[in-house]
Amino acid sequence: QEYHPETLGLTDNNELPTEHGQELTEMIAATRDKMGLTKEIGCAPQSYYLKKAIDAPASLWGLYRDEVIPKTTFFDGSVLLLQTEVFRYDLLSHAPLIRDDILAVAPFNDTVVRVEQTVLGSTILQLNAMLNDKATYMYPLPNFVLIGTVEPEQDYDLYVHDFNVKQVVAELQKLLPPGTNFDPVPTPYTSTKIWLSYVQQYWPCPGKSSILPDWIPTPKSIAEKMGKEDDSTTTMTVSIVMGIILGVIGLVLVRLVYLLLRYLCCSGYTTLTPEELDVFTTTKVNNTNGEYDDTFDELSAEEEEPYHINQLT
């Protein structure tokens, strides 16, 4: 790699990297790790490109319109008008995706806002045409992408990103009766989190299991409930605590299995009458010929009273 050392006041390339430059590089890397930007979240099946037409193969916008939004957020009866300036980079598949890759695509984390309920489909189609009547530097893309299937005679909930609320409302007022008021309502969805959710759920890396059921606690889910999902120290602490708890549970289970097997294999018993027990513990032997006294055969069945051999101490 060629440098121009004179620009930095250096005599030659051998002076690079400088001590301060190396310290800065290490600080940036440590900060990225602390913010969770280097955490692997999934593997893209292919690369998707920002400046490809919506219906072109490998279009980032086509992916977002046809896969990401339908699978992560809105249901039937909703329409999203998305300005094509909100995404800023390609989504590449040359390596496992990390959080920073998603932030490169959607860096602004815009909140999705519901502009109005029950907007007639024909009005939305007119609004889309008005928003796209000017040239765009993102050619061949329009200024706004319409996400959702729209039938002219049906009503829909209309959503946009908070950055575009004023622009969309201003155009929508031209199509509705004078005096129509709007009260935009923010939703829990944001542009960056929508991408993160999609990649984590639908793009697991080969050889790695898919997402666990929601009811199973994980270090990540616990950290998210604590509001510290981006704090690597909290996530690591939770992981250690969960590891200790699981270790204790494992030891308890091993002990229980051992005791159960010992009981099944080694706790057989023999039912004896009190007389038999007495004979068993004081085995009488004939000193003359060394033969055992066969007392057991002389006992009457009517006199038997069950007695468990395990009561011996």
Side-chain angles (χ1 to χ4, degrees), residues 22-243:
Q22 185 62 36
E23 290 177 355
L24 179 60
T25 298
E26 293 172 358
M27 183 195 72
I28 292 173
T31 302
R32 280 163 52 83
D33 287 340
K34 186 175 182 180
M35 295 177 66
L37 297 179
T38 58
K39 180 182 178 181
E40 292 186 7
I41 58 173
C43 292
Q46 65 175 75
S47 295
Y48 295 89
Y49 299 96
L50 181 69
K51 293 189 177 181
K52 280 187 173 289
I54 298 174
D55 295 318
S59 167
L60 184 72
W61 300 96
L63 171 69
Y64 196 74
R65 179 192 65 184
D66 301 333
E67 291 286 329
V68 178
I69 287 295
K71 289 184 176 180
T72 59
T73 54
F74 302 102
F75 304 97
D76 292 339
S78 300
V79 173
L80 173 66
L81 280 167
L82 183 68
Q83 190 180 36
T84 49
E85 294 181 4
V86 298
F87 300 150
R88 293 304 177 97
Y89 201 69
D90 302 327
L91 189 58
L92 304 177
S93 63
H94 57 80
L97 295 175
I98 60 176
R99 283 189 172 187
D100 203 27
D101 294 323
I102 301 304
L103 287 172
V105 172
F108 305 121
N109 202 30
D110 294 320
T111 298
V112 178
V113 175
R114 189 185 71 203
V115 175
E116 184 68 6
Q117 290 180 299
T118 63
V119 179
L120 193 63
S122 58
T123 302
I124 292 176
L125 293 174
Q126 287 180 276
L127 175 63
N128 183 55
M130 293 168 64
L131 292 170
N132 287 308
D133 66 348
K134 297 180 181 179
T136 171
Y137 77 94
M138 289 287 288
Y139 181 84
L141 296 166
N143 286 311
F144 281 80
V145 175
L146 179 63
I147 299 178
T149 302
V150 179
E151 297 294 337
E153 302 304 321
Q154 292 187 15
D155 290 331
Y156 299 90
D157 292 344
L158 178 61
Y159 293 84
V160 298
H161 282 186
D162 56 355
F163 181 77
N164 304 115
V165 168
K166 290 184 178 180
Q167 179 185 2
V168 172
V169 166
E171 296 297 326
L172 187 57
Q173 284 177 328
K174 299 175 183 179
L175 301 172
L176 298 177
T180 301
N181 295 319
F182 299 92
D183 186 19
V185 178
T187 72
Y189 302 110
T190 65
S191 57
T192 308
K193 288 184 177 180
I194 289 172
W195 273 112
L196 287 170
S197 175
Y198 177 79
V199 171
Q200 289 174 320
Q201 290 185 59
Y202 297 101
W203 285 356
C205 291
K208 294 185 178 181
S209 59
S210 58
I211 303 302
L212 293 171
D214 293 338
W215 57 269
I216 298 180
T218 64
K220 176 188 172 183
S221 65
I222 293 175
E224 287 177 348
K225 289 181 180 179
M226 296 171 63
K228 298 183 178 181
E229 63 271 22
D230 294 326
D231 188 344
S232 58
T233 301
T234 299
T235 304
M236 182 177 296
T237 302
V238 173
S239 300
I240 293 172
V241 172
M242 289 187 67

